[in-house]
Amino acid sequence: MNQVAPDTLSEHAGATSSETGREIILEVTDLKKYFPIKSGVLFQREVAAVKAVDGVSFKIFQGETLGLVGESGCGKSTTGRTILQLYRATSGSVKFRGQEITSLKGTSMRKMRREMQMVFQDPYASLNPRMSVGRIVGEPLVVHNIGTKKEREERVAELLKLVGLNPYFVNRYPHEFSGGQRQRIGLARSLALNPSFIVADEPISALDVSIQAQVVNLLEQLQDDLGLTYLFIAHDLSMVRHLCDRVAVMYLGKIVEIAESEELYTNPLHPYTQALLSAVPVPDPVVEEQRQRIILKGDVPSPINPPIGCNFNTRCPVAVDVCHEEDPKLEEVLPSHWVACHRVV
Amino acid sequence: MAVSETTNPNSQNVFMIIRKTLSRAVDMIGGTSMLIFLFRRILAAIPVLLAITLVTFVLSHLLPGGPFNAVGQRRMPEYLIQQLEEKFGLNKPLLVNTWNDGYFPDGDDWRIIGYRTEVHTEGGGARGDIHQVENEVLRIDLLDSQFFNYVWDALHLDFGPSLNVALRDQNVQVSEEISKRLPVSIQVGVFAVLLGFVIGIPLGVLAAVYHNTLIDYGAMFFAVMGQSVPNIVLGPILIIIFAVELGWVPVIDQQNQWREGPELSLYYLKILALPVLALGTGMSAGIARLTRASLLQVLHEDYVRTARAKGLRERVVIYVHALKNAMIPVATIVGPLLAAVLTGTFVVELIFTIPGLGKVFVDSVAARDYTMIMGVSLLYSIFLIAGNILVDIMYTWLDPRIRFD
Amino acid sequence: MAVAEGAEPISLEEESIHKSANPWADAWHMFRRNKASVISLITIIVIVFVAITATFWTKAGLIDARTGAKARHTINPVNQTAQDAYPDPGICARDGQGQNPYWCGWLDDESLAVVQDRYCFRAAPDVNQKQWCYVLGGDSQGKDWLSQTIYGAQVSLSVGFVGATMALLVGLVYGVISGYYGGRVDNIMMRIVDFMYGIPYLVLVILLQVFFTEIAREYQDSERGGFVGFVLDLNQDMGGLLFLFFALGVLSWIGMARLARGQVLSYREKEFVEAARAVGAKDRRIIFVHLLPNIMGPLIVAETQQIPGYIFTEAFLSFIGLGVQPGTPSWGAMISEVRTRGGFFSNRHILLVPSLALVITTLSFNFLGDGLRDALDPRLRGT
């Protein structure tokens, strides 16, 4: 594997001269998360590791929405969870407003958790079925010991109103709600602590299409009202285009391309991005007529044994010898447009 | 050389045949992964067995009194007890031998490991004069304890002589006694399991097919009843009804058939009937409930709905499509069921005075027959562990979706 | 703060009339629909009540095995004229003295003799001795079988409840620690459980009970103080139940530990647990607020279904003389008298009375377990 020194990466990845003026809220540098595979009759020892996230670097600016897209199993969810320290990073750094958070523990970690929250994918699994809506939404306040009981109740009502739910529902239980309503409850919970950064892990993919738009609009509305910053994880490319300022494409634990949303969709450079975008139907019949699907051959290789050289070389239609030898670096080939590919220079 | 040359092609042939047969056999039992799995499970069972040996050993020796304290109601004289204990090695320390005096009669020093001169007599009788032979033997004195001696012997499949007064005078070995009594328990147990399936499966199928009808309720009431009547109640009631009132079967085994070994005769079936009925009824209840639950679940699966949608007759749907899959969980309980029956025939054996393994165990505990206690407990443990392994194998065998990992 | 425009607040006012569906309230609602379970629950409550108030029903104690003191029994002597100067003629006395029950007139001479023989006892062969008559008969020592059965309920029920509670608590703590913390701790803890799975249950229980009964017997003759003496005294006062609890509990928790661990594993990775972690909840809160309420249902169901097993084991142990101490009334010990007192041929009440009590109790617990399963463990509903 071709490792890039973290310091050189942090100088480059994702940021350009034109953006230096904006405040960086989150900076991820060479983040890795390996899940050990253990085996043994009596005593377990590590025999291999799933390289779910394998050296990911990017920056997120205050108030923007960064989309993180890729096939299922490419490590995008793991990236989100590792950033939030739900998983302990194997290596690499995550800086939130300049502060390193991978090494935080105890009280300082809990303090940090008030700043960054998560919205989950499955609206059915993400709410405790034994807790009433009021307790679910108020839990962050209880955990952080904020306010009196009365104040907490008021805050919960306010939060429910904020996400478009009737505060009358506080004593109801999650199973009495629809998927969209449950996702709003989850959103209310994540907003309880007034966070500035939210990781949204495919928050709409489990919802009906008609409900998806509502939730996306709600997310946008909240961003405007509360000045939130989102890391929006998704596999639905059209929704990402609509919602995100910039988009990062992941493949097999690595970021292969980052660019401004419009730039990425009109001018994809990495062959994987091109293949992904070719699968998106275009609402314009003339363009749709000309759209040609790039069908990738083969399956995604196992993250336990990723290919030597470029991760994508087993399926890449334009791979050459160097792709099998050297891991390409993420480089800025156009302004604000970063690609990790030997063939794009 | 000549010999090897002539046999070479032949032996290669034989080798090929063996290899083919082996690989076919391996395929039959589920491929190499299954073999590796089996091997690992058996390997993992060894320390478990050792630990169980240790626990049972310590526990049985903790019981107050010893095997030689009394004959019947009479107490044995102290010197006789001592002599007997020395003969059977019960005077040695229990777990680790840290003695350095008193035990070694030849005055040798105690040492962890070293050579020791052992003297034993040879000759006498027709072989001439008696003379003494000296041998240098490598000994580990630390391990010269009752426990390690037992483990060492057991590894050589020598489980020692029974210490129970009724048996030790005839020098009966534990393995002999067990091999005589085990078949009795196995017969009762296996017939009971068979009866359990023969009653339980049809009952469960009926209940599932006629779900929420009177038949279902009746079958399930029988099942709950069967689980609620313990053997110590069912046994005597069966005796009163079938032996005392109806006189169909003898109350006790008057012809000593159990002891002499089974023989397929009407009489044998008669004395077998009640214990099997007592054991099998409770089991059939559990099997019926499991069958019903499993079949109900399968009947709601999509492929069964498809079979119905194709217009197949209900009978075909149930007996061809559903039952086969519904039997998976039922089949997997055969292992633990057999293990439970074999290790749990105590009750029935005591009620019906059957001289099986359970009876032997209870007697041996009362007599402080350490070797017999150990022998029976170890056998039971092996049954249990084998039963557990069997479940896992059954699962993969019957449900190819499950893999060994 | 403004209400988001994109989504109109969803008002379900008309639906709100429906009462709050607390999951536990749901379960109770579900349970009540199962008639057999409700009847079983009532039966169990009655049995528990009778067992607790046993002394009231039997009016006096039983023969004290330790002191050998004469019993001041009895329950329901049909003829309550104990203070009469006349010797008690007993049940259905032929000479018409005493207050005979109304059905005496229905009996012919032969039946009358049987009734006299089986239900009426004299403390001594002397005909002038007072005679006791029992509704459900007695044994040859003059012990009333019904009062014995009522006292036996104390043993069976306490074995069932204590056994289940111990297994649930120990198994729960063990399984939750193992499943929640995972890794090496889990590995070692599960190896221990594997090891215990290989121990034959009855073998261990019998060995332990022989050990305990012998120790208790030895102790009777000697004075011993300190903690050991205290425990032995306590066991003595409980009629041997203390050690029996221990013997039954040594292995009973392992199944529960496995179940609890499996449940924790299935919930530990659920997103709502992750959500709690993301807001900074500590382990203690996650375990007590998020995991336990969700995993308790199946565990309680499993443990209720185990109760008949504990009752059976105690009955069996007492049946072979390794259960409660001799003289302590227990259904198993009572049934065992069927062998020594000719119960197979004539005195069948010896078998039938305790058997009936045993079967009714376990039947109730089995039905209760089914009802609880339907109510608390929806995955297994109707199985």
Side-chain angles (χ1 to χ4, degrees):
Chain A
M1 199 189 328
N2 216 340
Q3 290 211 358
V4 185
D7 52 335
T8 55
L9 262 171
S10 59
E11 272 175 44
H12 299 293
T16 60
S17 49
S18 63
E19 288 161 344
T20 42
R22 298 173 60 184
E23 191 199 341
I24 295 170
I25 189 167
L26 187 89
E27 185 174 2
V28 177
T29 313
D30 200 26
L31 188 68
K32 287 182 183 167
K33 176 65 198 173
Y34 295 174
F35 293 103
I37 298 172
K38 288 179 176 169
S39 173
V41 178
L42 268 187
F43 298 100
Q44 309 258 296
R45 69 209 140 77
E46 198 178 319
V47 290
V50 177
K51 295 169 180 168
V53 180
D54 198 9
V56 160
S57 305
F58 58 83
K59 288 174 182 173
I60 301 178
F61 300 100
Q62 174 72 48
E64 78 162 344
T65 303
L66 175 68
L68 192 56
V69 299
E71 287 165 277
S72 52
C74 72
K76 48 191 197 303
S77 264
T78 310
T79 308
R81 284 170 161 77
T82 315
I83 289 171
L84 289 186
Q85 307 303 307
L86 290 175
Y87 297 153
R88 190 155 281 280
T90 309
S91 72
S93 100
V94 178
K95 280 186 182 151
F96 185 78
R97 295 196 200 281
Q99 188 191 359
E100 178 63 48
I101 60 170
T102 50
S103 53
L104 289 184
K105 277 190 187 100
T107 321
S108 43
M109 185 73 236
R110 278 156 59 84
K111 210 173 264 174
M112 183 56 63
R113 292 211 184 279
R114 299 171 65 158
E115 290 294 314
M116 38 210 295
Q117 276 301 314
M118 182 146 180
V119 178
F120 291 90
Q121 172 179 10
D122 184 349
Y124 290 89
S126 60
L127 306 179
N128 186 341
R130 300 268 167 195
M131 280 165 89
S132 65
V133 169
R135 279 187 73 199
I136 291 173
V137 176
E139 181 175 30
L141 305 171
V142 176
V143 167
H144 288 272
N145 212 3
I146 296 168
T148 61
K149 194 161 183 279
K150 187 100 187 10
E151 284 165 358
R152 285 201 289 262
E153 275 168 13
E154 280 164 10
R155 171 74 176 144
V156 168
E158 186 186 343
L159 283 164
L160 287 178
K161 248 182 265 167
L162 188 65
V163 296
L165 286 174
N166 193 328
Y168 187 76
F169 295 158
V170 284
N171 289 322
R172 297 273 188 97
Y173 283 82
H175 64 92
E176 298 169 83
F177 293 89
S178 69
Q181 289 171 312
R182 284 162 154 258
Q183 204 56 293
R184 288 165 194 262
I185 297 169
L187 202 52
R189 168 179 58 193
S190 59
L191 293 174
L193 294 170
N194 271 328
S196 48
F197 172 62
I198 285 182
V199 174
D201 182 11
E202 307 204 29
I204 53 168
S205 60
L207 304 176
D208 287 350
V209 181
S210 55
I211 312 290
Q212 285 186 353
Q214 287 184 11
V215 174
V216 165
N217 288 344
L218 177 61
L219 283 170
E220 282 187 317
Q221 182 75 46
L222 290 170
Q223 182 165 41
D224 291 347
D225 291 345
L226 307 175
L228 295 171
T229 307
Y230 291 135
L231 175 64
F232 191 84
I233 299 168
H235 62 252
D236 179 346
L237 290 165
S238 39
M239 200 59 93
V240 168
R241 181 178 195 173
H242 166 76
L243 189 71
C244 298
D245 305 311
R246 285 187 308 134
V247 176
V249 180
M250 260 187 101
Y251 181 78
L252 207 60
K254 290 190 166 143
I255 287 183
V256 295
E257 189 164 2
I258 304 183
E260 302 272 341
S261 208
E262 276 313 304
E263 164 76 6
L264 187 94
Y265 279 84
T266 50
N267 184 23
L269 294 177
H270 197 281
Y272 178 65
T273 316
Q274 288 166 353
L276 268 189
L277 290 177
S278 78
V280 181
V282 187
D284 179 346
V286 183
V287 186
E288 174 72 12
E289 194 105 318
Q290 290 165 345
R291 184 168 70 100
Q292 286 203 329
R293 282 214 61 181
I294 304 169
I295 310 276
L296 292 176
K297 54 184 191 296
D299 287 324
V300 184
S302 156
I304 301 169
N305 291 311
I308 300 164
C310 175
N311 263 349
F312 190 55
N313 66 27
T314 54
R315 304 169 78 192
C316 185
V318 293
V320 291
D321 287 350
V322 67
C323 301
H324 293 275
E325 288 152 14
E326 217 178 306
D327 193 14
K329 292 188 192 99
L330 196 58
E331 280 174 86
E332 188 171 21
V333 289
L334 293 167
S336 306
H337 195 147
W338 298 69
V339 183
C341 182
H342 293 296
R343 302 297 308 272
V344 182
V345 180
Chain B
M1 275 305 269
V3 176
S4 72
E5 262 172 292
T6 48
T7 53
N8 217 11
N10 246 338
S11 68
Q12 214 156 35
N13 241 344
V14 171
F15 181 67
M16 286 286 284
I17 291 168
I18 291 175
R19 221 172 60 172
K20 264 191 183 163
T21 330
L22 261 181
S23 71
R24 204 169 297 157
V26 167
D27 281 348
M28 258 175 66
I29 62 169
T32 29
S33 63
M34 166 81 91
L35 269 189
I36 292 169
F37 168 79
L38 200 61
F39 180 70
R40 278 171 48 173
R41 286 295 300 265
I42 291 171
L43 217 63
I46 291 170
V48 173
L49 263 182
L50 266 178
I52 289 169
T53 313
L54 179 64
V55 168
T56 342
F57 193 85
V58 171
L59 210 57
S60 59
H61 282 262
L62 272 182
L63 300 179
F68 312 119
N69 286 11
V71 177
Q73 294 295 314
R74 284 217 321 265
R75 262 196 82 77
M76 285 263 255
E78 201 61 36
Y79 73 96
L80 264 179
I81 297 179
Q82 268 178 22
Q83 274 185 14
L84 278 166
E85 285 194 336
E86 204 163 312
K87 185 183 169 206
F88 289 104
L90 298 187
N91 56 337
K92 292 181 185 175
L94 197 60
L95 292 178
V96 184
N97 189 339
T98 54
W99 288 2
N100 47 23
D101 55 25
Y103 166 55
F104 300 107
D106 49 6
D108 259 6
D109 282 340
W110 180 93
R111 62 199 107 176
I112 289 183
I113 186 164
Y115 283 94
R116 181 191 303 288
T117 320
E118 277 198 353
V119 186
H120 53 99
T121 4
E122 255 185 22
R127 278 177 290 168
D129 293 336
I130 297 171
H131 55 272
Q132 298 204 315
V133 182
E134 291 188 356
N135 266 338
E136 288 271 291
V137 192
L138 183 69
R139 303 272 311 245
I140 306 172
D141 284 349
L142 197 65
L143 300 186
D144 187 16
S145 64
Q146 292 185 46
F147 176 67
F148 283 104
N149 283 338
Y150 181 81
V151 171
W152 182 249
D153 289 344
L155 286 176
H156 293 82
L157 297 182
D158 173 10
F159 297 94
S162 168
L163 304 179
N164 193 338
V165 65
L167 299 168
R168 70 166 180 257
D169 293 342
Q170 295 149 35
N171 198 22
V172 173
Q173 296 291 305
V174 167
S175 44
E176 267 175 62
E177 186 66 10
I178 287 182
S179 61
K180 227 193 281 171
R181 306 293 195 98
L182 178 63
V184 175
S185 292
I186 288 187
Q187 280 156 26
V188 177
V190 167
F191 276 118
V193 171
L194 278 180
L195 184 74
F197 278 97
V198 166
I199 300 178
I201 290 181
L203 210 59
V205 171
L206 272 182
V209 171
Y210 298 100
H211 186 40
N212 280 339
T213 65
L214 268 183
I215 297 176
D216 184 17
Y217 299 143
M220 282 307 106
F221 185 75
F222 168 81
V224 179
M225 239 2 230
Q227 286 182 323
S228 305
V229 182
N231 281 326
I232 60 167
V233 171
L234 190 58
I237 287 179
L238 287 176
I239 289 178
I240 287 179
I241 295 175
F242 292 103
V244 178
E245 289 296 328
L246 296 173
W248 290 356
V249 295
V251 178
I252 51 161
D253 174 19
Q254 291 136 336
Q255 295 180 17
N256 229 1
Q257 181 89 64
W258 289 124
R259 257 174 221 290
E260 285 174 10
E263 183 188 296
L264 199 64
S265 63
L266 192 62
Y267 178 78
Y268 174 62
L269 288 179
K270 274 182 177 174
I271 56 169
L272 199 64
L274 293 191
V276 166
L277 204 58
L279 259 181
T281 311
M283 230 174 301
S284 70
I287 294 170
R289 293 181 64 146
L290 190 61
T291 308
R292 173 176 175 272
S294 173
L295 189 55
L296 278 181
Q297 195 179 10
V298 168
L299 285 175
H300 287 112
E301 299 271 347
D302 283 344
Y303 65 87
V304 173
R305 233 174 267 160
T306 313
R308 281 203 179 119
K310 279 195 299 191
L312 291 182
R313 270 179 308 171
E314 192 62 19
R315 197 172 296 174
V316 179
V317 170
I318 290 168
Y319 296 105
V320 177
H321 290 261
L323 201 54
K324 214 178 100 194
N325 287 292
M327 282 301 107
I328 289 175
V330 181
T332 54
I333 64 165
V334 173
L337 213 53
L338 270 176
V341 160
L342 290 179
T343 59
T345 47
F346 292 92
V347 192
V348 164
E349 285 177 14
L350 288 169
I351 292 170
F352 295 95
T353 51
I354 301 167
L357 219 48
K359 183 89 169 54
V360 169
F361 181 76
V362 175
D363 290 347
S364 65
V365 173
R368 309 287 186 274
D369 185 351
Y370 300 134
T371 46
M372 190 68 84
I373 297 176
M374 292 302 300
V376 177
S377 318
L378 273 183
L379 190 68
Y380 280 165
S381 296
I382 292 172
F383 283 152
L384 280 183
I385 293 169
N388 287 345
I389 296 178
L390 198 62
V391 188
D392 294 347
I393 292 177
M394 288 291 257
Y395 254 113
T396 38
W397 221 347
L398 294 166
D399 193 345
R401 282 169 300 183
I402 303 164
R403 294 274 170 119
F404 297 108
D405 284 315
Chain C
M1 278 179 233
V3 175
E5 277 178 5
E8 64 279 19
I10 298 144
S11 87
L12 291 173
E13 231 77 52
E14 60 276 21
E15 271 185 44
S16 329
I17 308 150
H18 163 74
K19 267 190 169 177
S20 150
N22 182 325
W24 295 113
D26 257 5
W28 171 237
H29 187 72
M30 194 74 205
F31 180 83
R32 271 196 332 208
R33 280 172 41 187
N34 190 335
K35 285 197 201 86
S37 308
V38 175
I39 293 171
S40 303
L41 183 63
I42 293 168
T43 313
I44 289 169
I45 291 172
V46 168
I47 297 173
V48 168
F49 177 72
V50 169
I52 290 174
T53 53
T55 20
F56 170 76
W57 300 105
T58 62
K59 283 200 177 156
L62 306 151
I63 288 178
D64 189 324
R66 270 182 298 159
T67 58
K70 197 82 206 83
R72 295 161 294 134
H73 38 296
T74 91
I75 179 167
N76 301 337
V78 176
N79 194 327
Q80 288 272 4
T81 55
Q83 65 271 45
D84 287 359
Y86 305 102
D88 183 48
I91 196 167
C92 301
R94 261 166 254 222
D95 53 9
Q97 287 184 8
Q99 296 152 332
N100 288 336
Y102 64 94
W103 42 266
C104 279
W106 304 350
L107 302 172
D108 56 19
D109 281 0
E110 203 180 326
S111 317
L112 205 57
V114 171
V115 167
Q116 293 262 345
D117 193 41
R118 193 171 297 163
Y119 295 93
C120 297
F121 297 88
R122 256 178 259 280
D126 180 5
V127 196
N128 293 325
Q129 269 287 338
K130 191 164 142 50
Q131 198 177 28
W132 302 103
C133 296
Y134 306 131
V135 169
L136 290 175
D139 70 359
S140 54
Q141 289 179 356
K143 286 189 283 184
D144 168 26
W145 223 223
L146 179 59
S147 64
Q148 290 255 317
T149 306
I150 289 177
Y151 272 102
Q154 292 183 341
V155 171
S156 282
L157 287 178
S158 54
V159 163
F161 285 130
V162 174
T165 312
M166 277 197 319
L168 187 64
L169 285 182
V170 177
L172 186 67
V173 171
Y174 194 95
V176 167
I177 291 174
S178 176
Y180 188 76
Y181 292 101
R184 185 155 298 170
V185 180
D186 179 36
N187 203 13
I188 291 170
M189 288 176 90
M190 279 303 115
R191 287 294 92 82
I192 293 172
V193 164
D194 283 349
F195 152 65
M196 298 193 104
Y197 251 91
I199 300 177
Y201 181 62
L202 273 182
V203 164
L204 187 72
V205 171
I206 287 175
L207 281 177
L208 283 174
Q209 272 305 107
V210 172
F211 178 67
F212 290 144
T213 39
E214 294 285 334
I215 295 285
R217 194 175 300 159
E218 275 186 13
Y219 172 66
Q220 275 190 338
D221 311 326
S222 61
E223 280 301 314
R224 225 188 299 184
F227 180 69
V228 177
F230 169 74
V231 171
L232 285 166
D233 271 340
L234 189 62
N235 181 55
Q236 193 81 34
D237 292 342
M238 291 169 73
L241 271 180
L242 184 67
F243 288 154
L244 194 61
F245 290 153
F246 181 77
L248 289 177
V250 167
L251 283 182
S252 64
W253 56 271
I254 51 176
M256 194 51 44
R258 275 200 173 174
L259 185 61
R261 174 176 174 272
Q263 287 283 317
V264 169
L265 285 184
S266 75
Y267 277 100
R268 193 181 64 173
E269 303 300 325
K270 283 261 158 82
E271 285 184 344
F272 69 79
V273 175
E274 258 187 334
R277 211 170 277 142
V279 299
K282 289 175 181 161
D283 284 351
R284 210 179 59 192
R285 180 175 175 86
I286 291 175
I287 289 174
F288 284 101
V289 176
H290 293 281
L291 291 179
L292 282 188
N294 281 295
I295 69 173
M296 278 316 278
L299 297 187
I300 290 172
V301 170
E303 211 36 65
T304 311
Q305 288 170 335
Q306 293 295 318
I307 288 179
Y310 299 117
I311 295 178
F312 283 0
T313 311
E314 183 278 327
F316 166 64
L317 288 173
S318 297
F319 183 81
I320 63 172
L322 288 176
V324 289
Q325 286 175 356
T328 308
S330 146
W331 295 339
M334 292 167 76
I335 292 172
S336 78
E337 294 194 13
V338 81
R339 296 179 300 184
T340 49
R341 302 250 156 80
F344 285 133
F345 301 98
S346 55
N347 291 325
R348 287 188 182 143
H349 66 278
I350 288 181
L351 174 67
L352 292 182
V353 176
S355 294
L356 212 59
L358 191 55
V359 171
I360 289 175
T361 308
T362 50
L363 200 61
S364 302
F365 275 111
N366 275 330
F367 275 122
L368 179 72
D370 286 2
L372 282 182
R373 181 204 52 211
D374 287 354
L376 293 176
D377 200 351
R379 290 173 301 128
L380 300 171
R381 199 158 283 174
T383 57

